[in-house]
Structures are given as structure tokens and as C-alpha cells.
Amino acid sequence: MNKMKEDFKLDSLPKHNVYQVPEHYFDRLPTRVMERTTAAEKHIPAWQQGLWVSLRAVAAPLVLLLVFVGVFFFNVQDQDKDEFAAVQPLAEQEILDYLHYNEDLETADFAELSYLTKQEFTSDFLNISSTAAEAELEYYHIRNIEE
Amino acid sequence: MEDKEILDKFSNPESQNMAFNQLVRKYQQKIYWHIRKMVIDHDDSDDLTQEVFVKVWKNLGNFRQDAQLYTWIYRIATNECLTFLTNKKKRFFLPIHDVAAELAEKIDTSPDISGDEIQLKLQKALLRLPDKQRLVFNMKYYDEMKYEEISEILGTSVGALKTSYHLAVKKIEEFIKRD
């Protein structure tokens, strides 16, 4: 063996495959490859799969949140319309006349007006100037009511 | 079945699967042994061979027929082998000779590797070569390919391949004499 090693020339060595495969390996390999190519055709890329899984996890809470937000804004807008829609088309004089001659007004209504004056909401709320509102309050002796 | 016939049938959706099955049957052994001599382990070779054919399947529609089909498939297989070996070295943070030592140990211990002492020694000597030089040696010595074909697969000049092969033979002979 040592002599053989010393004189070793690759050309003198017969070519021999030292590796073996399991029995019938090459008979089965085409079927296994075909299975993989079929799977590859149906395969959804990993990033898309991940995205879909994440979306499914957040989809239900997201839809619920959107519904709540939608309902909330719809109601707020509707409420604003209700409060101001009736007052806005009226002229200042019409409101003043109403306050002068409407006998159904109760002291509690003016108490509420007084509160609004303090809050500086009067002009926005009644759609009249704050001076006019104060004049009306004096007319009905609001100070006495407060006392 | 000739390559041209396989390609023609592959371009027809109705005969695509049949054509590809023929292609796999025609080239599976050459590709498997090409890979096996590089990665040594059967399971790794099996995975890589399947991966090569899946890539062939995906890209065969874009294959330019001015190149030979088998050199194109060989190129895919060669790239898969080199990527696998590079990743193996990176994964274990090992220098080249350690991966070679790991593969050499497989030659000694694996039940599906057998041969006389000098044949096994030759396989271990091959593992001492850089991966690309080992590829050149395998394709020239075992697959008996022409330098022009190897050049097409590896994208290296014929002159450089000749030099690489002769150097590889020298290194192997020296290794076997010395060890």
C-alpha cells in the first residue's frame, strides 16, 4: 500500500463511485419532484401568508372599531344639526319677539339663559348678540330670580 | 426524448407535466451525482436535487434555447451546491477546513459510502480543494465533460479551467502520497 502511495498517479486509479443511494431512489424521485412542482404552483409566498394571518387576527376588532367610530360621528353630526337647525334660519328680531311675548316661558328657562351668559355661549346658542340677550335678562329681572 | 422535443411539449399546457417528468427522468442521475459529490450527504443531496428541479420547473418557460438544456440545469445545480456549502460554513462559523473535516468524517462513517482505502482517500483529498476547484475536477474527471461545457456552466475561461484541473490533480496526488 505504501509503495502504491509513493507511486500514486491519478490516471492509474480506476474510476469508482463510492456513494450509494437507497433502493429505488431514482424510480421515486420524479414523482416526488412532480409533487413539489404541483405544490409550488399553488404556493402563496411566505410574506403574503404572514400578511393574511395578521390581517385575519385584526380584521374583526378593526371592523368593530370602524363601526363604532362611524356610528359615533354620525350621531354627533346629527345632534349638531338638531340643535342649530331650528334656530339658525330665525332672524334676531324674531327671537327677541318670541322672548318678549311668549307667555309660556318659565323662570327656569331664564335661569338657563343666565348660566349660558356666564359661559359666554349666549350668542352662539340663541343666534343673537350677547347685548340683546343681556337686555332680555334684565327685562325679566333675572337677578331677582337668582336671589 | 430529445431536449427540443421536451421543450416543445413543455410549452404546451396539456403536455407540460408529461414533458417535465421526462426531463427529470433524463437528468436526475447526472444532477444527483453532481450534487452528491459536492455535499457528500445523501439527504442533503436529495433536498438539493429536488430544489434544482423545482427551479428548473419555474424557469423553464424563460429558458433561451440558444444554450444547451443540460448545461443550464448543471449551472442551476452548481449554484445550489455552492450556496449550500457557503451557508453551511456561515451557519457554523467554521473555517473552510472544518467543514471539509465534517464531510470527511461522513465519508468514514456513513453507511451509504463504501469503497477501498485508496478510493475513500481520494474523496477525502477532494474535500481539501476549494469548492470551485472541486467542481472543476468532478466535472472533468468523473463526468468527463469538455472544458468548453464546464466553461459555459461556471462562466470561467477554458484556460483557467485547464490550469485549475491540473493543479487539482497535483494536489490530490500529493495528498495521497503524503498521507
Side-chain angles (χ1 to χ4, degrees), chain A residues 59-125:
Chain A
L62 193 68
V63 167
L64 269 176
L65 183 71
L66 286 173
V67 167
F68 278 121
V69 168
V71 167
F72 175 75
F73 275 105
F74 180 80
N75 282 343
V76 165
Q77 282 177 355
D78 220 31
Q79 206 175 3
D80 289 349
K81 273 185 200 164
D82 288 347
E83 285 175 1
F84 294 105
V87 182
Q88 273 182 338
L90 295 176
E92 186 174 332
Q93 192 54 50
E94 283 179 294
I95 295 168
L96 291 174
D97 291 346
Y98 173 80
L99 292 171
H100 267 297
Y101 300 113
N102 194 333
E103 294 175 357
D104 295 335
L105 279 174
E106 293 174 6
T107 52
D109 296 325
F110 294 100
E112 192 180 329
L113 276 176
S114 168
Y115 169 76
L116 287 168
T117 307
K118 283 177 187 169
Q119 296 285 317
E120 296 182 353
F121 285 157
T122 316
S123 58
D124 285 342
F125 184 76

Side-chain angles (χ1 to χ4, degrees), chain A residues 5-6 8-10 14-22 25-26 29-30 32 34 36-37 41, chain B residues 17 20 28 32-33 36 40 42 46 50-51 57 112-114 119 123 137 141 144 173 176-177 179:
Chain A
K5 273 185 185 176
E6 282 165 23
F8 180 76
K9 286 283 170 199
L10 194 62
K15 289 177 190 175
H16 173 72
N17 185 2
V18 298
Y19 305 104
Q20 284 116 44
V21 291
Y25 172 71
F26 290 115
L29 185 58
R32 292 167 64 214
M34 294 306 287
R36 281 192 63 179
T37 56
E41 275 188 332
Chain B
N17 282 348
F20 189 71
Q28 61 174 347
Y32 172 85
W33 291 120
R36 179 75 186 268
I40 310 300
H42 166 72
D46 180 39
Q50 288 187 52
E51 194 57 42
W57 166 267
D112 55 11
I113 300 172
S114 65
Q119 294 288 354
Q123 295 309 313
F137 180 86
Y141 182 77
E144 297 178 344
E173 288 175 343
I176 290 175
K177 280 179 197 169
D179 203 53

